[in-house]
């Protein structure tokens, strides 16, 4: 280690400070200070980057940024710009804690909550990846009832089941590392716990990662709900050889701790048992404790709490100690939430005074003081109860990384995985898709034959069945795609893909995790938009959602194929590829533009956990697929149904009084009138009214453009192959001067427009759901204006040339 020590010395001499970026791969050090502010600082603190903690530098991503570190027994990757904020000292200098371990204080207040009701609402709270969903799925089994809570980006599921005569409502909340105001997930969970008053909180912790997982536990203890802890992944703890003295830890914390293996269901019954037991708590079975924050902080808490307790409203509604602690920490949301009470000014003043006093005393930021004490408490508690194994066997769980994030192999392997995913999705999915298509076609013909000719017949066959059926046929592809995504997420590979891609994605202002939704976007925008949920930062999520529509989805392919085959006799593959590339270029430009404008000041952080590799359970994957398909069928099915009926009706009415050909009827119908109305808008691009109408019908689904063109240019079917007939028809359309109307230039301009303009209604709905209506509206307007401008420029430059 001589070379390493001297390297560090040289760096220290150079700048005076050593930061985590200076430590070479394979090196280790101790954190001495963390810089930066607000959300970022908080985020790395909750991931375990706190003073006194040991960090091992594992490896660089293939493009040298980000870097993977091992901290508190888990792996976390940081961008270099982020690890620059962490000051470190050599291991030998060791750790000198600022705060002693003070243990807990036994509280004397009894909980005055009604417990005679036979319904228990249990909130599941825990870190991301600690096995919450596995537990939820196991406990609720197939009796699961999926319900969405309000909120655009965060949602939770509720499962209801029965145990020993009690009805238990289990609420699966989003995973969080702590409960502050810095992320929507954290705010959501905190708000749920404070305002929905669950009867009991089930804290799920990853037994192999106690130090970091228990940070959240300390915050829960402060909030003072009834608590039960499920010590999940107990199998991994046992394998690692670590020994945990559960009874001692239970005694110290005052609530039951139950070992669980959520994946196999072992211990789940015991947890339910403890939930009922703790809820009833006949024999004063659980103790009620506070974390001892040490004399200075405790003094401050008491002085603020005294004022809080004077207010009847606050006393009834909040746990005084928790409120005091949050006010002292200056939490803006909580401060605002009580700003209406009469004694507010006085309370706030006392809290501000306390904060100033503590910050002066410890010469540190209040949030650091509190988190240092919390981590000090956890270290103290674990020191007394956890005996680590001689060697760390958990390293094995990361062994695959030597290959999967290898500097040379990382990218090729990623590409191979993606290739397999797409091939399977589209080739394997093509079989059930074919069956569904045949089935739906047969259903349409059957209904068409049994119903008397007339409006109802037309509505069902041309409107409902062909419209809804057109979307239903994508279900197999979606299921297969989500099977892969679920697999990649559960095994932990998704985080690695983000790790590898981050440097490239960051150049265009995005997060490594945006990569996967983009890839999915080439298949279909709807699951891609849903997949952005894995992005934690709202800015990254919205940017990714807004740029996904530029990835040519598979529904645009039929339109591309039609025109490319008809009007480009040579280099067809190249023309097709150029469209995909143009889409990617506009995604990049859009992202850069929005980053420079709307999101100029948005925080931008990478900090991501690289979980150990785990083998996913079939059960989890199936549940995941089921959830997705229900969403797809329900949400998109209703919208598509409505859209299909509307488009059908617009083409069907008003009924002509005299006999008309189909083409004449089209021009006569509302859709034809709309077409003529919008013609002035599309004329500058070289489009006629029929092209304008077909573009508009693309709102329902992009494939519809082909069928609309078919109707509007009145294609004759050639041997049942509609597109072949349409190709000939399009080729024979003539302009006023008798020359061919469609030239390669006109065709390509049209395809550019198809590529860029508004997404289909299903995608717009998905955007509205994930990012809010405002962004959905923005997306429609922005993409359409962009399409118009680009097509206009292209068309006119083309005409000149
Ligand atoms: P969530 O993010 O908290 O909802 O966690 P998940 O339920 O998605 O689980 C994350 C990963 O841990 C998955 O790969 C699970 O299969 C795995 N897992 C969950 N519980 C256990 C367990 O008790 N033991 C082991 N070894 N793995 C588990
Ligand atoms: Mg989950």
């Amino acid at each position: 280690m001589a070379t390493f020590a001297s390297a560090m010395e040289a760096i220290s001499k150079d700048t005076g400070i050593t930061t985590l970026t200076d430590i070479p791969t394979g090196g280790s050090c101790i954190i001495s200070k963390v810089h930066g502010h607000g959300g970022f600082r908080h985020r790395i603190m909750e991931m375990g980057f706190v003073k006194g903690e040991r960090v091992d530098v594992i490896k660089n991503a293939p493009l040298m940024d980000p870097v993977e570190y091992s901290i508190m027994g888990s792996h976390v990757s940081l961008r270099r710009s982020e690890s620059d904020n962490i000051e470190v000292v050599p291991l030998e200098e060791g750790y000198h804690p600022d705060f002693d371990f003070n243990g807990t204080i036994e509280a004397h207040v009894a909980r005055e909550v009604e417990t005679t009701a036979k319904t228990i609402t249990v909130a599941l709270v825990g870190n991301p990846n600690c096995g919450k969903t596995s537990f939820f799925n196991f406990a609720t089994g197939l009796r699961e009832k999926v319900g969405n809570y309000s909120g655009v980006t965060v949602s939770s599921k509720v499962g209801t089941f029965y145990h020993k005569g009690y009805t238990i409502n289990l609420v699966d909340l989003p995973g969080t590392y702590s409960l502050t105001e810095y992320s929507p997930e954290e705010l959501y969970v905190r708000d749920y716990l404070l305002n929905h008053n669950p009867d009991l909180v089930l804290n799920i912790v990853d037994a192999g990662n106690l130090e970091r997982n228990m940070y959240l536990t300390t915050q829960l203890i402060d909030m003072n709900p009834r608590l039960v802890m499920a010590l999940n992944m107990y199998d991994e703890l046992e394998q690692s050889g670590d020994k945990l003295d559960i009874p001692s830890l239970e005694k110290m914390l005052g609530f039951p701790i139950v070992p669980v293996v959520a994946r196999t269901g072992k211990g789940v019954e015991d947890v339910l048992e403890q939930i009922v037991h703790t809820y009833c708590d006949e024999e004063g079975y659980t103790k009620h404790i506070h974390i001892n924050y040490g004399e200075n902080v405790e003094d401050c808490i008491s002085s603020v709490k005294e004022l809080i307790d004077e207010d009847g409203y606050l006393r009834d509604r909040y746990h005084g100690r928790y409120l005091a602690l949050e006010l002292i920490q200056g939490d803006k949301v909580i401060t605002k939430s009580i700003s209406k009470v009469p004694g507010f000014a006085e309370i706030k003043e006392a809290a501000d005074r306390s904060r100033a006093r503590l910050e002066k005393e410890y010469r540190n930021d209040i949030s650091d003081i509190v988190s240092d004490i919390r981590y000090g408490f956890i270290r103290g508690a674990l020191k007394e109860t956890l005996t680590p194994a001689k060697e760390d066997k958990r390293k094995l769980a990361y062994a695959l990384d030597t290959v999967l994030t290898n500097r040379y192999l990382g990218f090729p392997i990623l590409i191979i995985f993606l290739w397999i995913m797409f091939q399977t999705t589209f080739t394997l999915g093509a079989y059930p898709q074919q069956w569904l298509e045949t089935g739906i076609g047969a259903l349409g013909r059957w209904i068409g034959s049994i119903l008397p000719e007339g409006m109802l017949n037309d509505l069902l066959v041309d409107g409902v069945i062909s419209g809804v059926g057109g979307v239903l046929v994508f279900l197999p592809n979606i299921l297969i795609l989500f099977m892969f995504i679920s697999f990649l997420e559960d095994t932990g590979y998704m985080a690695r893909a983000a790790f590898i891609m981050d440097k490239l994605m960051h150049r265009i202002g995005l997060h490594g995790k945006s990569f996967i939704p983009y890839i999915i976007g080439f298949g279909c925008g709807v699951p891609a938009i849903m997949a952005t949920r894995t992005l934690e930062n709202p800015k990254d999520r919205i940017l990714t959602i807004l740029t996904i529509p530029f990835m040519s989805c598979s529904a645009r392919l039929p339109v591309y194929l039609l025109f490319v085959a008809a009007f480009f006799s040579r280099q067809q593959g190249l023309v097709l590829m150029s469209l995909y590339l143009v889409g990617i270029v506009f995604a990049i430009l859009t992202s850069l533009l929005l980053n420079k404008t709307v999101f100029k000041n948005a925080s931008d952080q990478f900090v991501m956990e690289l979980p150990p590799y785990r083998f996913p359970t079939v059960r989890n994957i199936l549940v995941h697929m089921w959830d997705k398909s229900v969403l797809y069928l329900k949400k998109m099915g209703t919208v598509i149904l409505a859209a299909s009926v509307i488009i059908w009706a617009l083409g069907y009415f008003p009924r002509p009084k005299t006999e008309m050909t189909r083409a004449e009827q089209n021009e006569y119908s509302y859709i034809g009138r709309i077409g003529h109305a919008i013609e002035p808008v599309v004329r500058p691009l070289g489009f006629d009214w029929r092209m304008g109408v077909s573009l508009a019908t693309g709102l329902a689904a992009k494939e519809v453009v082909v069928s609309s063109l078919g109707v509007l240019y009145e294609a004759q079917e050639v041997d049942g192959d509609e597109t072949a007939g349409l190709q000939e028809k399009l080729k024979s359309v003539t302009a006023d001067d008798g020359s061919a109307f469609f030239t390669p230039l006109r065709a390509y301009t049209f395809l550019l427009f198809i590529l860029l303009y508004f997404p289909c209604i299903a995608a717009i709905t998905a955007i509205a759901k994930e990012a809010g209506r405002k962004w959905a509206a923005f997306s429609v307007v922005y993409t359409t204006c962009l399409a118009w401008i680009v097509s206009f420029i292209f068309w006119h430059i083309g005409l000149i040339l």
Side-chain angles (χ1 to χ4, degrees):
M1 258 359 249
T3 50
F4 169 55
S6 52
M8 265 184 59
E9 210 169 281
I11 292 160
S12 307
K13 269 197 199 120
D14 202 29
T15 60
I17 332 161
T18 315
T19 67
L20 194 48
T21 5
D22 301 324
I23 310 300
T25 304
S28 307
C29 53
I30 302 245
I31 296 172
S32 57
K33 192 160 177 55
V34 179
H35 298 274
H37 9 223
F40 164 74
R41 175 146 171 195
H42 173 77
R43 185 97 174 87
I44 56 175
M45 179 279 294
E46 61 183 19
M47 298 300 295
F49 289 88
V50 286
K51 192 173 168 187
E53 206 57 44
R54 174 193 167 129
V55 188
D56 300 304
V57 184
I58 305 293
K59 70 156 62 154
N60 288 293
L63 299 175
M64 305 311 286
D65 199 13
V67 184
E68 179 178 352
Y69 301 100
S70 163
I71 186 146
M72 287 192 185
S74 61
H75 287 211
V76 176
S77 69
L78 297 181
R79 284 182 187 148
R80 285 173 179 275
S81 57
E82 293 169 327
S83 41
D84 249 345
N85 284 301
I86 301 172
E87 260 180 51
V88 296
V89 294
L91 280 187
E92 305 82 72
E93 277 187 27
Y95 167 54
H96 314 285
D98 292 340
F99 302 95
D100 298 329
F101 172 54
N102 291 310
T104 57
I105 313 169
E106 205 156 326
H108 303 289
V109 232
R111 288 190 188 85
E112 293 154 21
V113 188
E114 187 67 46
T115 57
T116 46
K118 286 282 186 186
T119 304
I120 318 178
T121 303
V122 178
L124 270 183
V125 181
N127 282 191
N129 246 326
C130 68
K132 267 188 297 47
T133 304
S134 304
F135 183 91
F136 180 88
N137 288 343
F138 207 97
T140 55
L142 294 173
R143 289 156 293 185
E144 167 192 352
K145 184 181 78 193
V146 181
N148 266 327
Y149 271 77
S150 62
V152 192
T153 48
V154 248
S155 59
S156 54
K157 282 204 294 188
V158 187
T160 303
F161 57 96
Y162 308 95
H163 185 82
K164 300 258 167 86
Y166 284 88
T167 305
I168 300 183
N169 291 317
L170 201 58
V171 186
D172 188 15
L173 294 167
T176 61
Y177 296 104
S178 72
L179 296 174
T180 55
E181 53 186 346
Y182 289 115
S183 79
E185 281 77 12
E186 294 191 14
L187 264 180
Y188 181 86
V189 175
R190 190 173 77 176
D191 184 66
Y192 183 86
L193 296 181
L194 289 178
N195 300 324
H196 287 71
N197 294 317
D199 297 307
L200 190 141
V201 172
L202 178 59
N203 180 204
I204 304 220
V205 302
D206 173 353
N209 206 335
L210 281 173
E211 192 172 352
R212 200 200 58 214
N213 272 253
M214 277 178 62
Y215 188 78
L216 181 61
T217 312
T218 59
Q219 289 182 312
L220 290 172
I221 292 174
D222 287 340
M223 293 176 100
N224 194 43
R226 280 195 183 74
L227 262 172
V228 172
M229 182 189 278
L231 200 58
N232 194 31
M233 317 246 177
Y234 198 70
D235 53 335
E236 290 187 1
L237 181 86
E238 283 181 323
Q239 273 166 25
S240 76
D242 291 358
K243 292 265 174 315
L244 182 69
D245 180 357
I246 297 179
S248 302
L249 193 61
E250 259 179 345
K251 203 149 155 254
M252 188 186 311
L253 299 178
F255 50 77
I257 301 177
V258 192
V260 180
V261 183
R263 185 196 170 91
T264 59
K266 204 170 144 201
V268 172
E269 279 290 311
D270 301 337
V271 174
L272 303 183
E273 195 65 39
Q274 290 297 350
I275 287 175
V276 173
H277 209 89
T278 308
Y279 177 70
C280 304
D281 198 12
E282 283 122 4
E283 59 260 47
Y285 168 78
T286 53
K287 214 167 58 174
H288 182 172
I289 61 122
H290 297 322
I291 288 163
N292 189 342
Y293 280 86
E295 212 180 307
N296 285 329
V297 180
E298 287 297 336
D299 267 358
C300 292
I301 294 177
S302 305
S303 65
V304 178
K305 184 172 177 290
E306 231 165 71
L307 295 173
I308 291 171
D309 285 345
E310 277 170 23
D311 186 292
Y313 171 78
L314 289 182
R315 200 179 45 226
D316 290 348
R317 242 182 100 71
Y318 293 98
H319 180 55
R321 185 183 160 86
Y322 173 73
L323 192 54
L325 192 57
E326 288 298 321
L327 292 177
I328 292 173
Q329 289 179 81
D331 188 283
K332 291 194 189 68
V333 177
I334 289 190
T335 309
K336 187 154 176 273
S337 73
I338 63 153
S339 62
K340 294 263 155 37
V341 302
F344 174 68
E346 205 189 336
I347 295 172
K348 182 164 186 303
E349 218 238 286
D352 291 345
R353 218 174 328 117
S354 297
R355 179 164 59 251
R357 183 185 133 190
L358 292 171
E359 289 192 336
K360 186 154 165 257
E361 176 105 17
Y362 294 110
R363 265 175 279 145
N364 205 343
D365 194 81
I366 187 73
S367 58
D368 280 9
I369 299 171
V370 174
S371 65
D372 280 353
I373 298 176
R374 281 189 180 134
Y375 273 119
F377 171 80
I378 296 166
R379 284 181 195 132
L382 290 179
K383 201 166 164 187
E384 288 180 13
T385 52
L386 184 72
T387 325
K390 293 256 165 4
E391 63 178 312
D392 188 1
K393 292 213 186 77
R394 273 173 73 108
K395 286 221 170 76
L396 270 180
Y398 292 97
L400 275 174
D401 272 340
T402 38
V403 184
L404 296 181
T405 59
N406 181 281
R407 182 171 303 175
Y408 305 104
L409 295 175
F411 277 109
I413 291 175
L414 175 63
I415 290 165
I416 291 171
F417 276 163
L418 292 175
W419 184 80
I420 294 174
M421 179 163 110
F422 270 96
Q423 278 300 316
T424 321
T425 305
F426 294 105
T427 53
L428 196 69
Y431 295 100
Q433 188 172 18
Q434 194 65 51
W435 303 332
L436 276 175
E437 256 165 24
T438 317
I440 290 163
L443 179 72
R445 275 192 299 280
W446 181 67
I447 296 214
S449 67
I450 58 163
L451 282 179
E453 236 170 76
M455 202 172 89
L456 183 67
N457 189 325
D458 285 352
L459 170 67
L460 285 179
V461 177
D462 297 336
V464 177
I465 294 178
S466 78
V468 176
V471 178
L472 192 67
V473 295
F474 291 112
L475 185 63
N477 307 69
I478 301 238
L479 283 179
I480 296 173
L481 200 58
F482 272 103
M483 186 189 76
F484 273 96
I485 293 169
S486 176
F487 182 82
L488 293 181
E489 252 169 19
D490 283 1
T491 51
Y493 183 73
M494 208 66 117
R496 271 71 183 185
F499 178 67
I500 291 175
M501 285 304 298
D502 185 64
K503 185 154 184 192
L504 291 177
M505 300 305 286
H506 190 48
R507 289 233 173 100
I508 56 169
L510 287 168
H511 191 284
K513 282 189 185 173
S514 313
F515 178 67
I516 300 290
Y518 278 150
I519 296 298
I520 300 169
F522 285 117
C524 174
V526 175
I529 290 162
M530 297 202 275
T532 58
R533 288 196 179 178
T534 54
L535 287 154
E536 287 145 35
N537 191 331
K539 177 208 113 178
D540 292 327
R541 195 180 289 160
I542 289 173
L543 257 183
T544 311
I545 288 175
L546 291 179
T547 41
I548 281 173
F550 293 125
M551 305 296 128
S552 293
C553 66
S554 59
R556 288 185 174 101
L557 195 59
V559 194
Y560 295 169
L561 290 177
L562 170 69
F563 279 86
V564 171
F567 303 107
F568 295 88
S569 46
R570 282 174 301 135
Q571 305 289 4
Q572 292 183 338
L574 220 59
V575 175
L576 193 61
M577 204 171 82
S578 73
L579 287 164
Y580 280 81
L581 289 178
V582 169
I584 294 171
V585 167
F586 277 103
I588 294 174
L589 292 179
T590 301
S591 169
L592 289 174
L593 177 77
L594 289 176
N595 254 309
K596 289 248 151 54
T597 53
V598 187
F599 296 110
K600 204 163 62 195
N601 300 315
S603 75
D604 174 33
Q605 34 181 292
F606 178 65
V607 201
M608 180 184 70
E609 191 177 355
L610 293 168
Y613 287 103
R614 297 195 173 98
F615 209 78
T617 59
V618 176
R619 184 192 193 98
N620 264 0
I621 291 186
L622 288 181
V623 170
H624 196 106
M625 287 166 67
W626 171 246
D627 278 0
K628 288 291 180 250
S629 43
V630 167
L631 261 179
Y632 186 75
L633 289 179
K634 216 162 50 185
K635 301 257 155 49
M636 309 314 158
T638 46
V639 173
I640 289 282
L641 177 65
S644 316
V645 172
I646 290 170
I647 289 177
W648 170 84
L650 288 177
Y652 192 81
F653 295 109
R655 299 307 296 158
K657 297 198 181 62
T658 54
E659 194 69 20
M660 275 188 187
T661 65
R662 214 167 147 196
E664 283 166 342
Q665 151 66 10
N666 271 322
E667 193 157 0
Y668 179 75
S669 72
Y670 289 122
I671 218 165
R673 295 171 198 199
I674 293 171
H676 282 292
I678 59 177
E679 197 181 4
V681 182
V682 295
R683 181 154 287 273
L685 313 178
F687 305 164
D688 67 358
W689 74 269
R690 293 178 182 87
M691 292 162 83
V693 170
S694 65
L695 285 172
T697 59
L699 183 65
K702 290 281 136 54
E703 306 89 327
V704 177
V705 173
V706 173
S707 40
S708 312
L709 285 171
V711 174
L712 294 166
Y713 286 109
E714 211 201 353
Q716 268 85 44
E717 287 194 24
V718 178
D719 296 335
D721 183 350
E722 208 176 304
T723 22
L726 187 53
Q727 265 185 44
E728 294 313 310
K729 185 72 202 173
L730 290 178
K731 279 186 193 167
S732 67
V733 176
T734 52
D736 292 342
D737 62 2
S739 64
F741 177 68
F742 281 105
T743 56
L745 176 65
R746 200 185 299 268
Y748 199 83
T749 312
F750 187 64
L751 291 183
L752 272 180
F753 199 92
I754 294 271
L755 164 70
L756 297 172
Y757 85 133
F758 54 70
C760 69
I761 191 80
I764 296 171
T765 316
I767 296 175
K769 192 159 174 300
E770 300 294 325
R773 286 195 193 155
K774 231 177 61 201
W775 285 117
F778 173 84
S779 173
V780 171
V781 174
Y782 172 77
T783 51
T784 312
C785 291
L786 185 71
W788 197 91
I789 293 168
V790 171
S791 302
F792 182 82
I793 294 173
F794 186 81
W795 170 244
H796 285 276
I797 290 181
L799 282 183
I800 294 165
L801 297 181

